[in-house]
Amino acid sequence: MTKLPILLLLLLCLSSFTAGEIKKLKIRSDNRPMILFERFGFTHTGQTSISVSSVSVISTVTSPDASRLGFFLLSEESLIQVLIELQQNPNFCVLESNYIQRLFTFRDLSPPPNSSFDRAYPVTSPNEYSLFFANCAPESKVSMDVRTELYNLDGRVKDYLSAGLTQLPTLYFLFFLAYFVFLGVWVFVCLKNKKSVHRIHGLMALLVIMKALNLLFAAEDKHYVKVTGTAHGWDVLFYIFQSIRVVLLFTVIVLIGTGWSFLKPFLQEREKKVLMIVIPLQVLANVASVVIGETGPFIKDWVTWKQVFLIVDIICCCAIIFPIVWSIRSLRETSKTDGKAARNLAKLTLFRQFYIVVIGYLYFTRIVVFALRTISAYKYQWVAYSAEEIVSLAFYMVMFYMFRPVEKNEYFVLDDEEEEAAALALRDEEFEL
């Protein structure tokens, strides 16, 4: 049990997730001293229902004490106290702590061969709790079938979403409507400027469609989980359209960064290589996202999948910046020789602004949103999701406005003085990346 404090702390810190669906899982020959099942925000009407069956414990030493194996709830406020107890006495069993809410131990199981237990527990103190299984018996392996239900009661109706996430179905549906309106505006702009529409504008429209459908299926997924405890297949559609949307988003950013279709009709070899790297990595990231979302820390490789997702996402975020940087450098070099200073200055300014917008979007959605989810009280977790969707919508609007189809001929009818001023500005241009 000497590794228990480190394991407990890592699980709580690394597992920035909150679930509430009805979970069914099979544990086979597991010797982990601590298994985290899920975290959930309870109100004053919270309930925890646990059913275990087909329980067996195999020990290589002595017959294990059944009271040293069991389930308990732990709040983050009590974590420090439990860690202190474990540090003071490495052989201390967490099930004996006064800072946990012990649910039951294997001593409460029905006699073999059934060896089962089924009971619901009210949560008397509203808070965010983590549901754990503890195995304080050394050298023992546990096998069992587990079914958990964590929910809050709204009158007589069960709400399977955590107290801070119960607003998500409405939130996602409202943003679906916002993107639907946005799509209508984009189609209108493209039809109004048909002569200036390029292939990239069609991909951008497809991106908005995928984003809107992704939000619609996310709303349905969360609604059914909230009402019934299971997604009823909506999670499959959600993950499919999320995968398509993410791959398409990174592809559109890369293609815009290269100037494809509106500055040049082809991609260079290095730009093709970026796409060949980003797209497969995003597929891998989406697979990791499905594993993370549909399982939990109770599987042994959950933390590994989460690390894979984070590493791949960071690599992709860095990779999509390179085409924008290459375009900026190319425009800077071209401006010295082609005699079109004003046009090049406008393009260079546009790509500089796009570079800053992309960096800001990636920084907010990867770092600021994570910080919001970490520091927000469990009742206000929906605020972080709202902030993420608001920033995403703002990013889409800015990106689409910057690269909208417009007639540019009249804009670039400039006199000699304006051309000389633009040439002077380009000579003084410095842009540190």
Side-chain angles (χ1 to χ4, degrees):
M1 295 296 290
T2 56
K3 295 183 179 179
L4 185 57
I6 299 175
L7 181 61
L8 181 60
L9 182 59
L10 285 176
L11 285 173
L12 278 174
C13 293
L14 292 175
S15 307
S16 57
F17 78 107
T18 304
E21 301 176 55
I22 297 174
K23 300 282 188 181
K24 297 179 181 178
L25 58 143
K26 298 179 182 292
I27 294 176
R28 296 291 179 263
S29 301
D30 199 316
N31 62 352
R32 284 178 289 174
M34 191 78 70
I35 301 175
L36 173 60
F37 283 86
E38 49 189 317
R39 289 169 63 183
F40 193 80
F42 291 100
T43 64
H44 64 283
T45 60
Q47 297 277 331
T48 300
S49 177
I50 302 178
S51 175
V52 296
S53 59
S54 304
V55 179
S56 66
V57 182
I58 300 174
S59 179
T60 57
V61 285
T62 59
S63 179
D65 183 356
S67 65
R68 295 177 67 83
L69 298 96
F71 288 81
F72 68 93
L73 293 174
L74 177 65
S75 65
E76 290 192 29
E77 289 81 358
S78 301
L79 173 62
I80 300 299
Q81 298 298 328
V82 173
L83 289 175
I84 292 174
E85 289 179 328
L86 292 167
Q87 289 175 349
Q88 292 175 345
N89 182 5
N91 296 320
F92 177 77
C93 180
V94 67
L95 291 170
E96 300 171 357
S97 174
N98 295 323
Y99 298 100
I100 67 167
Q101 183 175 334
R102 185 169 54 255
L103 302 179
F104 71 93
T105 67
F106 279 10
R107 181 174 289 178
D108 302 313
L109 295 174
S110 62
N114 295 327
S115 297
S116 61
F117 187 87
D118 186 358
R119 187 175 173 183
Y121 301 86
V123 178
T124 56
S125 178
N127 206 335
E128 185 176 41
Y129 290 91
S130 299
L131 175 62
F132 283 95
F133 170 76
N135 178 3
C136 300
E139 304 298 329
S140 62
K141 296 182 179 180
V142 177
S143 298
M144 58 181 170
D145 297 338
V146 183
R147 183 181 188 275
T148 63
E149 286 188 43
L150 278 63
Y151 56 88
N152 295 306
L153 289 173
D154 185 4
R156 294 184 178 181
V157 179
K158 295 180 180 179
D159 184 348
Y160 289 95
L161 285 181
S162 178
L165 304 179
T166 190
Q167 302 88 351
L168 287 187
T170 303
L171 178 70
Y172 286 144
F173 186 73
L174 290 175
F175 276 102
F176 158 73
L177 294 178
Y179 278 96
F180 186 77
V181 173
F182 181 39
L183 175 63
V185 174
W186 180 249
V187 171
F188 173 77
V189 170
C190 290
L191 292 175
K192 188 178 179 181
N193 301 275
K194 288 183 179 180
K195 295 181 180 180
S196 302
V197 172
H198 300 281
R199 285 172 291 175
I200 189 65
H201 297 125
L203 275 179
M204 293 164 76
L206 182 61
L207 173 61
V208 178
I209 294 173
M210 292 299 106
K211 176 65 176 178
L213 290 175
N214 183 210
L215 286 167
L216 176 62
F217 294 134
E220 289 294 327
D221 176 23
K222 294 301 181 184
H223 170 72
Y224 276 94
V225 170
K226 174 186 174 74
V227 175
T228 68
T230 57
H232 290 273
W234 288 104
D235 54 340
V236 177
L237 290 171
F238 165 71
Y239 285 119
I240 289 173
F241 281 91
Q242 176 177 262
S243 301
I244 297 173
R245 189 264 305 171
V246 172
V247 171
L248 197 55
L249 173 61
F250 277 80
T251 302
V252 166
I253 292 176
V254 169
L255 292 177
I256 288 178
T258 62
W260 176 75
S261 84
F262 61 92
L263 287 184
K264 58 187 180 185
F266 58 88
L267 293 176
Q268 298 177 356
E269 280 302 315
R270 63 181 182 181
E271 295 164 348
K272 292 179 182 178
K273 289 179 181 178
V274 171
L275 281 176
M276 291 171 62
I277 293 172
V278 169
I279 293 177
L281 284 179
Q282 274 303 309
V283 172
L284 175 60
N286 288 320
V287 171
S289 176
V290 172
V291 174
I292 293 169
E294 289 301 299
T295 59
F298 47 81
I299 68 168
K300 294 182 179 180
D301 297 328
W302 188 82
V303 173
T304 301
W305 278 107
K306 192 155 190 176
Q307 291 172 340
V308 168
F309 174 78
L310 291 173
I311 292 171
V312 170
D313 194 52
I314 291 172
I315 293 173
C316 290
C317 289
C318 294
I320 63 175
I321 297 300
F322 284 104
I324 307 175
V325 175
W326 294 335
S327 293
I328 291 174
R329 290 178 177 174
S330 176
L331 287 169
R332 189 183 292 167
E333 293 298 322
T334 304
S335 65
K336 299 177 181 178
T337 57
D338 67 355
K340 299 177 181 179
R343 186 181 294 271
N344 287 324
L345 179 61
K347 292 177 181 177
L348 188 58
T349 302
L350 182 65
F351 275 88
R352 283 182 56 185
Q353 293 171 346
F354 183 56
Y355 173 87
I356 295 171
V357 168
V358 171
I359 291 293
Y361 169 73
L362 296 177
Y363 176 80
F364 192 94
T365 55
R366 268 63 181 178
I367 299 177
V368 177
V369 169
F370 175 78
L372 282 174
R373 291 178 182 174
T374 303
I375 65 176
S376 297
Y378 76 97
K379 290 184 179 181
Y380 303 102
Q381 286 292 309
W382 61 272
V383 174
Y385 291 87
S386 300
E388 183 177 14
E389 293 302 333
I390 290 171
V391 170
S392 295
L393 180 58
F395 172 72
Y396 277 64
M397 293 175 68
V398 171
M399 178 172 67
F400 279 51
Y401 178 79
M402 292 172 68
F403 296 94
R404 68 195 185 280
V406 290
E407 294 290 343
K408 300 178 181 178
N409 293 335
E410 294 182 2
Y411 180 78
F412 285 110
V413 177
L414 305 173
D415 57 28
D416 293 338
E417 291 184 2
E418 290 172 313
E419 187 70 25
E420 290 176 4
L424 182 62
L426 281 171
R427 283 198 298 269
D428 297 336
E429 167 69 26
E430 288 294 337
F431 180 56
E432 297 296 334
L433 302 175

